[in-house]
């Protein structure tokens, strides 16, 4: 049973991005020092981009052995490989291209002009198979346990590409194809709720006033079908990192460090 979510509030998006970058670099160094290869699940969206650039620009970047890191995506926009809207393309441009990663450890979701063409179901099934084949005996399941799994949150409370009122929320496979997403582009591939709770640490990164109601509901007891961000929980820790605008409507009795 994981602990209840913890909340950390930062002044603004710049401070939040720098703080998340510092936390991520420390976590990767600690896991590597323990002799394991860390794994991270990236998300898309504006705050993720901000964090990626902060990692790239951090003077502590050299502390990580980047060739020993597994990289996954919690969701992907199902567009062509060259489309700049791909979460992968944005992560590469903002961060990954600047790092000496092992290409075999970077696992993007197939693009719509990739090996499965426009068949988004096949692309989702393939990602599920990749997860299954990366899962080790000690992971006890068909999905690896990730060290850090990061998620943005939409104003409607969506996480990855699991949107309120969308049938993908009920899918029990590891990865689901999403059609008719309310946020463009309409076709996506997403980890499902069980997979999004396979992080030792699950970090929600949320900035902006328009997210305040979703944060309030997710931390105030809403169910994951109504507010998907209420669902994912880290195996060891669930951490919500907010800027002060996104934290403006936090439930009054919510335990908050420093309050
Ligand atoms: C995507 C994301 C999505 C995103 C949230 C928050 O593909 O768009 O994975 O879930 O993380 O919508 O995005 P912002 O940080 O831009 O608000």
């Amino acid at each position: 049973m994981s602990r209840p979510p913890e909340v950390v509030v930062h002044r603004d998006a710049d401070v939040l991005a720098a703080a998340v970058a510092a936390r991520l670099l420390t976590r990767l160094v600690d896991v590597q020092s323990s002799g394991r290869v860390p794994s991270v699940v990236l998300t898309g969206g504006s705050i993720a981009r901000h964090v990626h650039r902060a990692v790239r620009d951090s003077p502590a970047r050299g502390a990580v052995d980047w060739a020993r890191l597994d990289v996954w995506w919690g969701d992907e926009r199902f567009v062509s490989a060259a489309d700049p809207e791909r979460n992968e393309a944005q992560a590469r441009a903002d961060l990954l291209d600047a790092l000496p990663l092992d290409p075999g450890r970077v696992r993007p979701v197939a693009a719509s002009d990739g090996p499965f063409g426009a068949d988004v179901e096949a692309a989702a099934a393939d990602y599920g198979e990749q997860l299954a084949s990366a899962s080790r005996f000690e992971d006890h399941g068909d999905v690896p346990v990730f060290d850090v799994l990061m998620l943005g949150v939409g104003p409607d409370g969506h996480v990855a590409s699991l949107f309120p009122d969308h049938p993908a929320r009920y899918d029990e496979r590891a990865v689901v194809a999403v059609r008719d997403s309310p946020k463009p582009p309409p076709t996506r591939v997403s980890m499902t709720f069980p997979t999004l709770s396979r992080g030792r640490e699950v970090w929600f990164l949320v900035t902006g006033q328009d997210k305040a109601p979703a944060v309030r509901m997710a931390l105030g007891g809403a169910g994951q079908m109504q507010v998907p961000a209420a669902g994912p929980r880290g195996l060891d820790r669930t951490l919500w990192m907010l800027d002060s605008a996104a934290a403006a409507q936090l439930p009054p009795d919510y335990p908050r460090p420093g309050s």
Side-chain angles (χ1 to χ4, degrees):
M1 193 62 190
S2 70
R3 291 182 278 156
E6 297 165 58
V7 178
V8 177
V9 182
H10 294 294
R11 190 176 62 234
D12 56 33
D14 284 341
V15 175
L16 184 139
V20 174
R23 203 182 271 278
L24 180 64
L25 289 163
T26 304
R27 186 87 194 107
L28 299 181
V29 169
D30 285 352
V31 173
Q32 289 183 338
S33 302
S34 76
R36 284 198 298 108
V37 174
S39 56
V40 64
V41 179
L42 304 180
T43 184
S46 55
I47 188 59
R49 301 201 68 175
H50 213 130
V51 168
H52 295 163
R53 292 186 199 122
V55 173
R56 180 193 62 200
D57 297 340
S58 168
R61 190 176 106 186
V64 175
D65 177 359
W66 294 104
R68 290 172 56 239
L69 173 69
D70 287 316
V71 181
W72 300 90
W73 275 266
D75 72 323
E76 185 54 277
R77 299 151 181 194
F78 197 59
V79 290
S80 67
D83 192 321
E85 282 300 303
R86 254 177 86 77
N87 289 337
E88 177 201 1
Q90 295 180 355
R92 286 196 189 276
D94 294 332
L95 174 63
L96 304 184
D97 287 348
L99 303 175
L101 295 162
D102 173 352
R105 290 190 177 277
V106 180
R107 271 85 161 210
V109 177
S112 63
D113 55 354
F116 309 103
D119 187 346
V120 66
E121 304 286 346
D126 170 71
Y127 211 55
E129 281 159 26
Q130 289 192 51
L131 287 167
S133 58
S135 180
R136 296 143 303 180
F137 175 74
E138 59 270 27
D139 292 327
H140 304 293
D142 278 347
V143 171
V145 171
F146 310 106
D147 288 290
V148 177
L149 187 148
M150 289 182 280
L151 292 168
V153 175
D156 59 355
H158 80 260
V159 280
S161 291
L162 301 181
F163 294 88
D165 298 324
H166 197 286
R169 291 167 301 156
Y170 295 99
D171 207 289
E172 288 173 357
R173 292 169 292 183
V175 179
V176 65
V178 177
R179 296 177 192 277
D180 302 320
S181 149
K183 178 181 179 180
T187 311
R188 293 159 168 260
V189 171
S190 184
M191 290 184 178
T192 53
F193 280 128
T195 309
L196 293 175
S197 286
R198 294 284 284 170
R200 287 189 175 84
E201 299 207 4
V202 171
W203 297 355
F204 291 87
L205 318 175
V206 201
T207 58
Q209 206 181 351
D210 59 329
K211 312 286 177 64
V215 170
R216 171 174 41 87
M217 288 190 283
L219 291 171
Q224 68 181 15
M225 294 305 170
Q226 185 196 356
V227 181
R233 289 288 171 102
L235 297 166
D236 296 338
R237 188 177 200 200
T238 310
L239 188 55
W240 283 71
M241 284 173 271
L242 313 173
D243 72 353
S244 47
Q249 297 180 30
L250 272 179
D253 55 344
Y254 205 85
R256 222 164 95 183
S259 62

